[in-house]
Amino acid sequence: MAAPIAYSLIATDLDGTLLRGDDTLSDRSLAALARVADYGARHLVVTGRPAPRVRPLLDDLGSRGLAVCGQGAQVYDAGADRLLWSVTLDRELAETALGKIEAEVGEVYAAVDQDGVDGLTLIEPGYLMPHPTLPAVRVGRRDDLWCEPISKVLLRHPELSDDQLAATARSVVGSLATVTMSGPGTVELQPCGITKATGLALAADHLGLGPDRTIAFGDMPNDIPMFDWAAHGVAMANAHPELKAVADEITLSNEDDGIAVVLEKLFR
C-alpha cells in the first residue's frame, strides 16, 4: 500500500506521549504503528532519552532503523547499534552554566548522560531520577560527573518548579547551552543550538524525507522545535500548556492511546 498523501514520516516523543506512565507500549499503539509501516510510512522516535536508554524500547517496537536521542544530540542506528551522528556538551561550559544557575537559585542537584551507545547516566548526591525504572550510577561528588564526554546535564531544584528553574536557567546560561524542559523533574542543558528539530532534520534527510511530509507528536516544551519543523504538530491531552499553545491539533492522553487515535484516522 502507498502511504497517504499527507504524511510519510511519523515522529513521536516517548515519555508522556507514546509510552504509558509505566513505560510500556499499549497493544493499540503497537498495532497503529504496524499499520503505518504497512502503508510505507516511517516511524521515528524523537526523545530526550540517550541512546542506551532507548535501545530496549526500540526492541519492543521491533525497530531496526533510526532514532533521535538525547534531545537531538544523537542520531542512533538501532540495526547497527551505533551512532550515525552525535554532539557533546563541553564539560567546562557545563560547569560554568551550573555555576551561573546556582548563583541565582541556590544549590541544584545534577546528573549527566554520557555520550556513546554504552554511555552511563551518572547522578550526584541528592539527585532523584524522574524515571525510577531507568538505570543510573550514583557518584560521590559533582566532579565525578565530568569523567567522560557527555551529551547533556539534567537538573533538579529542591523547591523551585520546573518552569521556574527552566526560566531562570535560560536567563543566565545564554550561549553556553540550550535549556529545555522535557518532563516532570527534568530540566536539561544540552549543546547550544541542539534541539529535537536539529536531530529530526538530520534523521529525516538520511531517510530522504522532509518536514512537509512529517507529523510530530509530543507533550512537553522540548517538543516545540520539533513542532515548528514538522508540517503538523499534535499535542497530547496531558501536554504542557506551552506545547498546546503551538500545536495544530490536540489528541487524547498517552494513557488513552492518543497517538493511535490520530494514526487510525490517517491510515484507515
Side-chain angles (χ1 to χ4, degrees), residues 117-136:
V117 295
D118 295 314
L120 301 172
T121 297
L122 305 181
I123 59 178
E124 72 174 357
Y127 186 90
L128 298 176
M129 287 291 288
H131 298 285
T133 60
L134 296 181

Side-chain angles (χ1 to χ4, degrees), residues 145-218:
L145 298 177
W146 321 121
C147 62
E148 298 288 344
I150 60 173
S151 60
K152 64 179 179 179
V153 178
L154 302 91
L155 305 175
R156 302 194 78 166
H157 193 276
E159 297 176 359
L160 294 181
S161 69
D162 298 330
D163 290 292
Q164 291 170 321
L165 179 57
T168 300
R170 290 190 188 103
S171 71
V172 299
V173 165
S175 62
L176 294 174
T178 295
V179 179
T180 60
M181 181 169 56
S182 61
T186 313
V187 174
E188 302 179 354
L189 306 178
Q190 60 210 55
C192 186
I194 297 298
T195 68
K196 283 191 173 185
T198 58
L200 175 55
L202 284 168
D205 184 66
H206 188 84
L207 297 171
L209 300 170
D212 57 320
R213 300 290 300 278
T214 301
I215 182 172
F217 295 83

Side-chain angles (χ1 to χ4, degrees), residues 215-238:
I215 182 172
F217 295 83
D219 74 309
M220 291 299 292
N222 65 320
D223 295 312
I224 291 175
M226 180 168 68
F227 279 24
D228 290 341
W229 184 86
H232 193 79
V234 183
M236 313 306 289
N238 50 286

Side-chain angles (χ1 to χ4, degrees), residues 87-121:
V87 60
T88 58
L89 175 59
D90 184 280
R91 285 167 279 178
E92 289 188 8
L93 293 182
E95 284 192 278
T96 300
L98 276 176
K100 286 179 172 292
I101 293 168
E102 290 189 317
E104 294 293 322
V105 302
E107 184 180 21
V108 298
Y109 302 124
V112 300
D113 285 335
Q114 293 179 334
D115 189 40
V117 295
D118 295 314
L120 301 172
T121 297

